[in-house]
């Protein structure tokens, strides 16, 4: 499938704080493996051994970057941070791998970040004009600079995090490791998820999703509140809520529809249950006489099951997804495109042949991938194909972590519902109604800007993912 026609995952972060030295790198490895769906471009782990940082990070998935020999090189330690990346700011190169490490006058720091700083362009311009030299093109380094600047002015790393937060706009869930502490924090809107739990040995584990806690045997304690800073140290666990309640609660609704793993629970809502509800709403809103409901793997499967349960139309396995294809898969040439789609996703002919099919997927971006999937079903003998999408139409760019930054990439901005159905070859098309999103999570405290154009922060001055790949002068912000 054309990866430009689908949303990429975001990033996943991990942190651990233990009362005693142990093989913390292995826990980080397992947790990052559980979070792999949030980013496949690069990954990294930094372990703190009595104030000495040991790190390894590189391009590729967790299994590619960390061999058993590489993990064995890590010493035992009490604190660690880890990261899996899909970059929404900055190119895919080793300089942008995380966690990012900083050596400053008061010590060391390692930082892992999930989100997107919407005022990053303005902040970086300000920092560069004051003499800062950047070694990456990621907005994470901007956070690191501001944290370091504040750390030099205050007595503790947690105060530095608290003081830095008002400078940062947009989405950020972060894990910060110093020589003696682990600090986790979430932006005041709470755009991106973050939670923590505890293992039987007393080790605290923080992660983007609960599935990562379970992967290392940690018991979930709670989510970090929007605007909250949580400090893990020898003094115990400290919560600072200075920035809590200062902004509208805006958890990204697409976490429930697509980004998160279905076995995770975000802010008390099981992701699987939210997707079942989306399918139920689709069945309620767009009923159709059909013989079978099928979902597009992976995030369309739960919604398809919800549609089937509510409508009474039987659920079927419509596609087999090749799970052995990673980022190293050789993309087919133009004349091999159809074969390339089949290698990644192939229909189960016995499920759809001669039948009226309801096809459930999580989203349509440009429409090209949806068209190919519908065509696969036609070639497998489907008599009718009724497409149901478990999200509303995308009509606006996202500035909080999703990699669509222009309306030109969004088919719903250029065509009507009828036109899109015709473009993708469907007999009918239905999207999740935007006014039903609150049913998925049970409240209205979510961000739906990509569906409505209503943003909770100022629209950024420069939105290109590669905006930091060029020198300052080429961006029109300085003299040549």
């Amino acid at each position: 499938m054309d990866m430009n026609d689908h949303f990429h995952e975001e990033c996943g972060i991990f942190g651990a704080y233990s009362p005693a030295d142990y093989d913390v790198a292995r826990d980080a490895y397992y947790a990052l493996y559980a979070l792999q769906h949030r980013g496949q471009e690069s990954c990294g782990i930094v372990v703190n051994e009595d104030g000495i940082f040991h790190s390894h990070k590189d391009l590729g998935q967790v299994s590619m970057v960390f061999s058993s020999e590489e993990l064995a090189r890590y010493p035992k330690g009490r604190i660690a941070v880890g990261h899996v990346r899909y970059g929404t700011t900055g190119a895919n190169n080793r300089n942008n791998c995380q966690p990012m490490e900083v050596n400053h006058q008061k010590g060391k720091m390692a930082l892992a970040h999930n989100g997107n700083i919407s005022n990053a362009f303005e902040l970086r311009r300000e920092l560069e004009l004051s003499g800062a030299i950047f070694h990456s093109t990621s907005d994470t380094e901007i956070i690191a600079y501001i944290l370091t600047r504040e750390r030099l002015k205050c007595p503790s790393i947690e105060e530095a995090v608290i003081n830095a937060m008002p400078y940062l706009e947009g989405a950020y869930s972060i894990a910060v490791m110093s020589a003696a502490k682990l600090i986790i924090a979430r932006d005041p809107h709470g755009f991106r998820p973050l939670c923590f739990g505890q293992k039987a040995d007393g080790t605290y584990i923080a992660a983007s999703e609960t599935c990562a806690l379970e992967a290392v045997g940690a018991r979930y304690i709670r989510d970090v509140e929007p605007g909250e800073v949580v400090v893990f140290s020898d003094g115990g666990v400290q919560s600072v809520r200075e920035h809590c309640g200062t902004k509208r609660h805006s958890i990204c609704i697409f976490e429930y529809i697509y980004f998160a793993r279905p076995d995770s629970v975000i802010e008390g809502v099981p992701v699987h249950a939210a997707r079942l509800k989306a399918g139920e709403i689709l069945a309620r809103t767009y009923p159709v006489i059909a013989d079978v409901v099928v979902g597009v793997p992976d995030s369309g499967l739960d919604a398809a099951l919800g549609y089937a349960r509510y409508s009474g139309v039987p659920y079927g396995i419509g596609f087999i997804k090749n799970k052995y294809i990673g980022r190293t898969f050789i993309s087919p040439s133009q004349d091999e495109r159809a074969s390339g789609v089949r290698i990644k996703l192939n229909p189960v002919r016995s499920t759809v042949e001669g039948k009226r099919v309801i096809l459930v997927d999580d989203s349509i971006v440009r429409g090209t991938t949806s068209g190919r999937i519908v065509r696969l079903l036609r070639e497998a003998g489907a008599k009718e194909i009724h497409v149901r999408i478990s999200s509303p139409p995308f009509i606006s760019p996202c500035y909080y972590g999703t990699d669509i930054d222009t309306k030109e990439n969004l088919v719903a901005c250029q065509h009507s519902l009828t036109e899109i159905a015709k473009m993708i070859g469907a007999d009918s098309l239905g999207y999740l109604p935007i006014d039903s999103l609150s049913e998925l999570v049970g409240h209205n405290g979510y961000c739906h800007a990509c569906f409505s154009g209503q943003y909770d922060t100022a629209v950024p001055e420069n939105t290109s993912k590669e905006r930091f790949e060029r020198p300052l002068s080429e961006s029109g912000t300085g003299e040549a």
Side-chain angles (χ1 to χ4, degrees):
M1 291 186 289
D2 181 3
M3 291 307 293
N4 291 324
D5 187 39
H6 217 286
F7 289 101
H8 294 287
E9 291 80 359
E10 306 203 347
C11 295
I13 65 174
F14 165 85
Y17 185 91
S18 176
D21 287 344
Y22 81 109
D23 191 0
V24 66
R26 196 161 295 274
D27 268 2
Y29 172 83
Y30 291 135
L32 294 184
Y33 223 114
L35 295 172
Q36 186 73 88
H37 61 286
R38 297 187 70 87
Q40 295 90 46
E41 283 189 354
S42 65
C43 59
I45 296 171
V46 182
V47 169
N48 182 340
E49 180 198 21
D50 295 328
I52 300 173
F53 287 11
H54 302 264
S55 69
H56 180 67
K57 50 191 174 183
D58 209 340
L59 302 177
Q61 298 179 11
V62 176
S63 61
M64 297 164 57
V65 173
F66 293 102
S67 63
S68 56
E69 292 79 13
E70 191 62 53
L71 282 174
R73 292 191 185 100
Y74 280 101
K76 291 184 177 180
R78 295 179 56 195
I79 319 174
V81 288
H83 189 267
V84 290
R85 180 180 190 262
Y86 173 77
T88 54
T89 301
N92 181 27
N93 59 52
R94 199 176 186 283
N95 288 338
N96 288 331
C97 295
Q98 296 187 44
M100 286 195 170
E101 298 170 71
V102 176
N103 292 317
H104 56 80
Q105 191 179 47
K106 291 189 176 181
K108 295 183 177 182
M109 176 181 74
L111 167 68
H113 163 226
N114 170 214
N116 194 58
I117 304 302
S118 57
N119 65 333
F121 187 78
E122 296 83 358
L123 289 174
R124 178 158 172 158
R125 178 173 56 190
E126 173 192 327
L127 289 165
E128 286 184 322
L129 291 174
S130 68
I133 298 173
F134 285 82
H135 300 281
S136 77
T137 53
S138 166
D139 57 348
T140 303
E141 191 174 10
I142 296 170
I143 300 175
Y145 257 108
I146 293 175
L147 283 177
T148 301
R149 184 183 68 185
E150 295 305 313
R151 179 67 183 95
L152 297 177
K153 298 188 294 186
C154 62
S156 69
I157 182 65
E158 58 266 35
E159 287 185 54
V161 173
I162 295 164
N163 294 342
M165 290 173 71
Y167 294 99
L168 306 172
E169 294 180 6
Y172 56 92
S173 286
I174 59 174
V176 182
M177 180 175 71
S178 70
K181 298 174 182 177
L182 173 69
I183 297 94
I184 58 175
R186 197 171 169 209
D187 71 78
H189 287 286
F191 285 113
R192 298 294 156 212
L194 185 61
C195 62
F196 67 94
Q198 190 173 29
K199 297 176 65 174
D201 64 4
T203 299
Y204 285 98
I205 302 293
S208 293
E209 295 183 33
T210 58
C211 64
L213 303 184
E214 294 170 356
V216 298
R219 174 183 57 85
Y220 166 82
I221 294 177
R222 65 178 178 88
D223 289 74
V224 178
E225 295 180 20
E228 184 183 12
V229 176
V230 181
V231 185
F232 303 93
S233 68
D234 284 344
V237 182
Q238 177 190 5
S239 171
V240 182
R241 290 179 165 83
E242 181 176 328
H243 298 301
C244 292
T246 59
K247 304 288 185 181
R248 178 183 177 272
H249 184 195
S250 305
I251 180 72
C252 172
I253 195 67
F254 212 49
E255 289 281 355
Y256 297 94
I257 295 170
Y258 174 73
F259 286 131
R261 235 171 67 165
D263 54 331
S264 288
V265 178
I266 299 176
E267 295 188 346
V269 178
V271 174
H272 174 65
R275 293 177 185 170
L276 287 176
K277 175 60 71 172
E280 175 189 321
I281 295 168
L282 282 171
R284 200 169 67 215
T285 309
Y286 297 101
V288 64
I289 298 173
D291 303 303
V292 66
V293 181
V294 302
V296 178
D298 289 311
S299 51
L301 299 178
D302 303 74
L305 182 59
Y307 193 110
R309 286 180 177 177
Y310 185 86
S311 66
V313 179
Y315 175 83
I317 303 298
F319 294 94
I320 297 300
K321 180 181 179 181
N322 190 330
K323 297 184 180 296
Y324 299 98
I325 293 179
R327 297 191 62 83
T328 56
F329 175 68
I330 300 172
S331 298
S333 59
Q334 191 65 35
D335 58 350
E336 296 172 324
R337 189 75 69 181
S339 297
V341 174
R342 282 195 175 88
I343 291 171
K344 293 187 177 185
L345 197 68
N346 203 46
V348 180
R349 180 176 291 272
S350 59
T351 299
V352 302
E353 189 171 24
K355 295 179 181 176
R356 297 164 294 184
V357 179
I358 297 170
L359 174 67
V360 182
D361 202 357
D362 56 75
S363 59
I364 298 177
V365 184
R366 299 187 182 191
T368 53
T369 293
S370 298
R372 291 177 190 135
I373 293 174
V374 169
R375 190 156 54 250
L376 287 178
L377 290 179
R378 294 280 187 204
E379 293 170 358
K383 186 165 61 176
E384 296 177 12
I385 303 171
H386 302 276
V387 176
R388 300 294 181 261
I389 303 299
S390 61
S391 65
F394 289 96
I395 63 169
S396 298
C398 173
Y399 306 123
Y400 310 123
T402 306
D403 65 337
I404 296 297
D405 59 2
T406 170
K407 288 194 173 187
E408 283 72 27
N409 289 336
L410 304 175
V411 68
C413 290
Q414 316 299 328
H415 301 279
S416 68
L417 192 71
T418 302
E419 289 172 336
I420 297 171
K422 184 176 180 180
M423 286 172 57
I424 66 175
D427 293 282
S428 70
L429 172 64
Y431 286 91
L432 190 77
I434 191 169
D435 57 6
S436 69
L437 288 172
S438 60
E439 291 188 54
L440 305 188
V441 293
H443 59 75
N444 292 310
Y446 55 85
C447 176
H448 53 72
C450 52
F451 306 130
S452 66
Q454 299 172 9
Y455 299 100
D456 286 318
T457 67
V459 174
E461 177 182 330
N462 190 318
T463 62
S464 170
K465 177 181 176 180
E466 284 78 30
R467 58 192 179 275
F468 300 137
E469 303 300 325
R470 298 179 296 163
L472 187 65
S473 60
E474 291 184 22
S475 302
T477 56
E479 297 180 2

